[in-house]
Amino acid sequence: MPVPLHPAALVIAADHLQRERTRQLLEQLGAQVEEAGDSLQGLSLAEAMLPDIVVLDMAMPEVDGYTVCRTIRKLPHGQSVPVLALLAPNDSHAIDAAYDAGATDCLCKPVCPTLFRRRVRYLLDTRHCLHVLAAREAQLSRAQSIAAVGSWYWDIIGHKIHLSDEMRRLYWVGDEALDASVEALLRPVHPEDRPLLELALLNALRLGVPFDVEYRLLGANGVQRHVQGKCEVAMTPAHQPLRMYGTVQDITDRKLQETRALRMANYDVLTDVPNRNLLNDRVTQAIAQAHRTGQHIVMCCLDLDGFTYINNSFGYAAGDTLLRQVAARLKDALRECDTVARLGGGEFVVVMHSVAASVSVGALTQKVLGRFAAPFAVDGHELYVTASMGISVFPQDGDSCDALLRCADAALHAAKGRGRNCAEFYTRKMGADAERHLMLQSAMRTALAHGEFELCYQPKVALPDGQMFGMEALLRWRRPGHGVVPPAEFIPLAEETGAIVAIGEWVLRTACNQLRRWHDQGYTRLTMAVNLSGRQFARQDVPALIRQVLADTGVPAASLELELTESILMSEGTAVTDALLQLKDIGVTLALDDFGTGYSSLSYLKRFPIDVLKIDRSFITDLASDAENASLTRTIILMAQSLHMKTVAEGVESVAQLSFLRRCKCDAFQGYFFSKPLDAEGVTGLLRDRRCLPAVVRHQRGRQTLLIVHEEQQVVDALAAMLENDGYQILGATTPAYAFECLAVHPVQVILCALRLPQMGGTELLERVKKMSPETIRVLLAEHRDLDAVLDAINRGTAYRFCSKPWDEHRLRDNLRDAFRHQSALYARGAPGPDVPADADEADFFTGGLAAAYVAPVQEDRG
């Protein structure tokens, strides 16, 4: 049934101009429009005319639009009428209220004509589709209740055709008589099937041959029926036809079932794209064609990053919606001849057929990944989703669908390992890696039983006192004949296979037993940190396990710290929350590992009883030179302090990193600066020796510190000489890199920086200083010709003051004294004044033995 050419539309709006504009837009769509200026008139018309669509302004006087909408829905045919609500702009409450009242869709005023026409056409099409679906369901129900077989009889000599009632129903023929001709039987036959039935009838008439054919009937309203027609012919002795007898059986339902079964066997039910079965068939055909043409076939295995998180966070219905949108975008990115298939979960396969050798495969695949740039609209949320892709190419990577799939899947794993949101081409090394992966998986199944796992321990050191207070247990796998397997290689594999559950329990028991031995040796304040896996929470009663292990080993609950990842907090919802609350009741400490690298959220930190935040080593590595990392690290520490949490920095390897963390009041650190991970015997040696940080590292005090940054060494020296009697500790740097190192190592109160520097401008350097060390007062040294740039820097807060070159000695000193006073007023920490001498040991430590207050810069080839 086609959509009505002239749908009946009802416009209910108090504003005359609004009604007129709406009428014009509806008439442009061919609609016959009725108008109502008040609510009661509109309800009367809605009941009388049974409109195909209602456009309702919700801002109606007396009886509001919401009441009108609810009343329309109560009319005999009101449930199926689409109601388009017109609302005031930027009123989310009105939108919710409109939908609650029964509106089908909403538009904000003033209405965009194009959007209005599109919405109306869509609503009419949708209503039409719903009506067609209901009609076909009713027809199917009737057909099942009767024997859908009609009969017909043609008296050729008497020129009469007789049809049974069911035959008339099947052929859409009323009580009228039919022409006694072949044309009468062919008239409702689908044009594409007519030649087949014509031939069968003519053969029956001329030769007396019976037939059994399937064909389609086409009604005047466009409805089709699949039927099976059978016929026999009675002939005279002279082989002239006398009568024809036939039956027609409605096999529409059977055909539909066959079509559905065939589609279900070859298409993914959720996304309506080919499944693995049809994918194999299409790729096999494409390979056969490529052999003839010499062209390539490109296969891409594509997996949505974080799809499990979306399912867990927004529900499986939202995940299904996302998958359907992904399938649509992938199809839109390809040609008609290409294939998009879904293998399951968030994994799709894209096959590009008949690709010329000269075409850039990389450009084609980037076009596919580019479809993920825009957000996906899912249940009112805008979700930014990325994908990882593995690519294989025929003929070099395989000559069958299975071979190409294996290669593309291996490349997909490599893309995920590289950080996701990227594409990787298959290489032979990936094939070898995949084989090694399987062998590693097999070997790991027996590693625990054979005693191949061992623990080492990395000390954790408190700041600022420098005392070693705890250990983190780290798992190592010493595989016979292969040496030590890197944790980054086997831990994900253990997570994937589920072996991490048994391994995790072994780690917990082994670490607690070792801690018990250290306690028995007198180190009773020592703590032990053990990492937990999300699989353990999913498959075990973790609180019960912790209680049992603590009881078996005799370790106090307060001495055990459990390190969790952010994915654990987000994976199981209330189940994890309940488990963590039980763990807190037991008395253990809970730490959030690798904070800042996942889906960090303040709401998660507030909801879960976390005691410690561990700052990931990725932020610490470039702490002395990366302004963003420095700013993020400082922010994490301040946030933890506000939430009454402790902070532990991972991967500390330098004085600069340690000094920065100490000034930011980080609570503790671990890393190679203090000690690499050691076995139990090595740790016992550290405990016996009472190993701690040197005093000079623990306590950094000194005079007011000025950092001078200028590309010319003689300028730095001249300024230092001029200021040597002012009581400052003066640091000098001729490169931005060394300037940042000085800032990280020393508590610099004021920096005096030249505007023009090699590699980086002075304003850019000070902007980074502002992020890395906001308590440092920034002063520019510039020439008069640079006045505009200087004023801009001051206006933006990049610089506090500026000094002109050539400088006036008295003015320069006054500006610096003012800068130090300003710094002291803002960030006073009880630092000694300019006339208090620096701690001699500390000066030796940080300057490499220089006794003078002025620390000369390292030259350009510092390395």
Side-chain angles (χ1 to χ4, degrees):
M1 183 174 67
V3 178
L5 294 177
H6 303 289
L10 173 60
V11 179
I12 304 175
D15 184 89
H16 172 74
L17 185 59
Q18 179 71 54
R19 292 201 307 274
E20 185 62 27
R21 284 199 299 265
T22 306
R23 168 188 280 276
Q24 292 173 0
L25 293 173
L26 289 168
E27 288 177 345
Q28 291 173 11
L29 295 172
Q32 296 177 347
V33 185
E34 293 288 341
E35 298 179 16
D38 64 77
S39 299
L40 296 179
Q41 181 189 8
L43 288 172
S44 177
L45 285 173
E47 184 174 9
M49 65 182 288
L50 300 178
D52 294 307
I53 187 170
V54 175
V55 180
L56 173 61
D57 190 341
M58 306 308 278
M60 297 291 293
E62 298 181 2
V63 180
D64 61 35
Y66 306 100
T67 303
V68 173
C69 188
R70 281 190 288 268
T71 306
I72 289 174
R73 290 298 182 220
K74 295 177 182 178
L75 296 176
H77 301 283
Q79 283 294 335
S80 62
V81 177
V83 176
L84 179 59
L86 303 182
L87 303 169
N90 301 322
D91 190 346
S92 59
H93 297 295
I95 294 174
D96 287 337
Y99 281 118
D100 291 341
T104 311
D105 207 346
C106 298
L107 284 176
C108 292
K109 299 180 292 184
V111 173
C112 170
T114 301
L115 183 58
F116 180 89
R117 289 191 292 268
R118 290 282 185 180
R119 290 284 176 87
V120 170
R121 187 178 290 113
Y122 172 77
L123 293 175
L124 289 172
D125 289 346
T126 302
R127 183 172 188 265
H128 162 68
C129 291
L130 291 174
H131 283 178
V132 170
L133 179 60
R136 289 183 177 175
E137 287 177 349
Q139 179 182 341
L140 179 60
S141 177
R142 288 193 302 271
Q144 291 173 343
S145 66
I146 61 175
V149 178
S151 63
W152 58 276
Y153 162 69
W154 183 11
D155 181 358
I156 299 174
I157 302 300
H159 301 289
K160 293 181 180 179
I161 291 181
H162 302 277
L163 306 179
S164 69
D165 290 342
E166 180 60 19
M167 183 69 180
R168 288 180 178 274
R169 188 188 72 80
L170 291 175
Y171 266 63
W172 298 283
V173 177
D175 295 332
E176 67 274 14
L178 293 181
D179 297 334
S181 65
V182 173
E183 178 61 29
L185 296 174
L186 294 175
R187 192 173 296 127
V189 176
H190 194 286
E192 294 179 3
D193 298 340
R194 187 163 178 159
L196 174 65
L197 190 57
E198 283 179 347
L199 180 62
L201 284 170
L202 290 175
N203 284 338
L205 286 171
R206 292 173 183 174
L207 305 176
V209 179
F211 66 77
D212 184 350
V213 295
E214 293 182 4
Y215 56 94
R216 290 168 291 173
L217 299 176
L218 186 63
N221 58 357
V223 176
Q224 293 185 26
R225 286 198 183 103
H226 288 269
V227 296
Q228 183 176 21
K230 296 182 179 182
C231 174
E232 292 184 354
V233 184
M235 308 288 286
T236 66
H239 296 286
Q240 294 296 321
L242 285 175
R243 291 172 296 277
M244 296 183 73
Y245 304 91
T247 61
V248 174
Q249 182 179 11
D250 187 351
I251 60 170
T252 303
D253 187 53
R254 191 188 81 193
K255 284 291 184 181
L256 288 174
Q257 294 295 340
E258 290 175 357
T259 301
R260 290 193 189 103
L262 183 63
R263 191 159 193 86
M264 289 178 67
N266 292 287
Y267 285 85
D268 177 59
V269 177
L270 178 63
T271 60
D272 201 35
V273 298
N275 58 16
R276 187 184 294 269
N277 185 49
L278 184 55
L279 172 69
N280 183 73
D281 182 63
R282 289 191 179 180
V283 173
T284 301
Q285 293 182 33
I287 288 175
Q289 181 180 0
H291 274 300
R292 295 191 299 270
T293 62
Q295 292 180 314
H296 292 172
I297 300 170
V298 179
M299 179 176 287
C300 308
C301 273
L302 182 146
D303 192 54
L304 303 183
D305 300 328
F307 180 64
T308 301
Y309 162 70
I310 292 173
N311 269 338
N312 292 338
S313 300
F314 298 96
Y316 288 97
D320 291 347
T321 301
L322 174 63
L323 290 174
R324 284 190 286 267
Q325 293 186 27
V326 168
R329 287 196 189 182
L330 291 176
K331 287 192 292 185
D332 187 54
L334 302 176
R335 303 166 298 176
E336 286 291 333
C337 63
D338 296 330
T339 299
V340 175
R342 178 173 175 244
L343 300 185
E347 188 170 358
F348 291 82
V349 174
V350 172
V351 182
M352 302 176 192
H353 304 256
S354 304
V355 177
S358 59
V359 173
S360 169
V361 175
L364 293 177
T365 56
Q366 286 303 316
K367 179 183 177 183
V368 173
L369 286 180
R371 294 293 174 173
F372 292 86
F376 292 84
V378 178
D379 292 348
H381 301 279
E382 282 195 348
L383 301 181
Y384 284 88
V385 180
T386 60
S388 303
M389 181 187 289
I391 307 161
S392 62
V393 181
F394 169 88
Q396 55 262 43
D397 296 331
D399 59 357
S400 70
C401 182
D402 286 342
L404 291 173
L405 266 177
R406 282 196 304 272
C407 294
D409 190 60
L412 173 62
H413 281 289
K416 289 181 178 179
R418 195 158 68 90
R420 307 190 176 193
N421 190 23
C422 62
E424 284 283 353
F425 283 86
Y426 173 77
T427 63
R428 293 189 181 276
K429 180 180 180 299
M430 291 177 186
D433 289 344
E435 183 177 353
R436 183 171 182 269
H437 180 84
L438 291 175
M439 294 178 63
L440 200 64
Q441 183 178 10
S442 177
M444 192 176 60
R445 295 184 185 278
T446 60
L448 186 59
H450 293 167
E452 297 172 13
F453 289 116
E454 58 188 44
L455 291 185
C456 60
Y457 306 90
Q458 185 163 46
K460 296 164 71 174
V461 182
L463 286 172
D465 65 8
Q467 299 297 316
M468 183 170 59
F469 69 92
M471 301 292 158
E472 180 182 0
L474 302 174
L475 180 63
R476 299 291 183 262
W477 178 14
R478 197 172 299 278
R479 186 181 173 196
H482 295 80
V484 177
V485 182
E489 188 171 344
F490 75 84
I491 293 294
L493 185 60
E495 293 271 5
E496 180 183 327
T497 61
I500 194 67
V501 176
I503 295 173
E505 183 172 345
W506 177 86
V507 170
L508 180 66
R509 289 187 175 276
T510 304
C512 286
N513 278 319
Q514 180 58 55
L515 182 62
R516 177 73 268 167
R517 286 191 285 271
W518 281 325
H519 281 192
D520 291 342
Q521 294 170 18
Y523 309 109
T524 56
R525 295 187 178 181
L526 200 63
T527 64
M528 179 66 71
V530 177
N531 290 273
L532 289 184
S533 162
R535 287 293 187 100
Q536 289 176 270
F537 281 91
R539 298 190 180 185
Q540 284 181 305
D541 185 343
V542 174
L545 173 65
I546 297 300
R547 290 189 189 96
Q548 187 62 51
V549 171
L550 292 177
D552 293 345
T553 60
V555 168
S559 298
L560 179 61
E561 180 177 302
L562 302 178
E563 295 192 2
L564 317 169
T565 61
E566 294 172 27
S567 60
I568 294 177
L569 303 186
M570 305 176 69
S571 60
E572 302 294 332
T574 57
V576 166
T577 305
D578 294 341
L580 296 184
L581 291 174
Q582 291 182 54
L583 291 173
K584 286 303 299 176
D585 289 339
I586 293 171
V588 299
T589 299
L590 298 179
L592 187 55
D593 197 15
D594 301 334
F595 182 76
T597 61
Y599 301 96
S600 305
S601 168
L602 275 175
S603 63
Y604 282 101
L605 293 181
K606 292 170 62 179
R607 191 199 316 173
F608 296 104
I610 303 299
D611 303 297
V612 179
L613 293 185
K614 297 196 71 177
I615 305 171
D616 187 68
R617 66 177 61 246
S618 61
F619 296 112
I620 305 300
T621 302
D622 299 321
L623 204 57
S625 58
D626 190 306
E628 298 298 332
N629 279 354
S631 180
L632 284 170
T633 300
R634 185 187 299 271
T635 301
I636 291 171
I637 294 171
L638 289 173
M639 179 182 63
Q641 290 171 350
S642 67
L643 295 173
H644 307 291
M645 298 177 183
K646 300 295 184 181
T647 49
V648 178
E650 299 179 297
V652 176
E653 298 181 357
S654 69
V655 173
Q657 295 167 349
L658 188 64
S659 300
F660 181 90
L661 292 168
R662 184 181 55 251
R663 288 201 304 276
C664 293
K665 298 190 181 301
C666 181
D667 295 293
F669 79 95
Q670 59 188 81
Y672 275 51
F673 182 81
F674 184 84
S675 173
K676 66 179 181 179
L678 302 170
D679 58 17
E681 184 179 350
V683 172
T684 302
L686 292 183
L687 294 171
R688 189 184 306 116
D689 296 339
R690 299 185 180 276
R691 171 77 178 275
C692 64
L693 284 177
V696 292
V697 183
R698 299 200 305 271
H699 307 289
Q700 185 182 14
R701 300 186 304 273
R703 293 174 295 208
Q704 292 178 327
T705 303
L706 169 67
L707 172 61
I708 301 173
V709 185
H710 198 285
E711 64 176 320
E712 297 179 16
Q713 181 62 53
Q714 57 268 35
V715 174
V716 175
D717 293 339
L719 287 169
M722 183 184 72
L723 301 169
E724 64 181 350
N725 294 323
D726 288 6
Y728 307 129
Q729 174 173 287
I730 301 176
L731 311 176
T734 57
T735 64
Y738 189 53
F740 291 131
E741 185 172 341
C742 289
L743 280 165
V745 172
H746 301 273
V748 175
Q749 285 84 38
V750 177
I751 179 172
L752 178 63
C753 179
L755 181 65
R756 301 178 185 275
L757 293 172
Q759 305 169 6
M760 180 185 300
T763 55
E764 182 183 352
L765 185 144
L766 292 185
E767 192 65 41
R768 291 175 64 176
V769 170
K770 180 181 177 182
K771 293 180 178 180
M772 296 174 64
S773 182
E775 68 273 15
T776 299
I777 303 301
R778 302 166 298 278
V779 180
L780 267 175
L781 190 62
E783 299 179 8
H784 284 289
R785 59 177 177 167
D786 299 319
L787 185 59
D788 289 340
V790 170
L791 292 177
D792 180 64
I794 292 175
N795 290 334
R796 289 188 292 109
T798 302
Y800 168 68
R801 290 281 179 85
F802 83 96
C803 298
S804 300
K805 293 171 60 180
W807 57 83
D808 177 89
E809 180 177 341
H810 296 291
R811 179 170 294 181
L812 175 59
R813 283 179 167 173
D814 289 342
N815 281 335
L816 291 177
R817 276 194 294 270
D818 182 65
F820 276 107
R821 281 195 296 269
H822 184 65
Q823 200 278 341
S824 179
L826 291 177
Y827 305 102
R829 300 178 180 175
D835 55 343
V836 179
D839 184 283
D841 290 335
E842 179 187 7
D844 289 344
F845 178 81
F846 283 108
T847 65
L850 293 176
Y854 166 49
V855 183
V858 178
Q859 297 303 313
E860 294 290 329
D861 61 352
R862 176 178 172 81

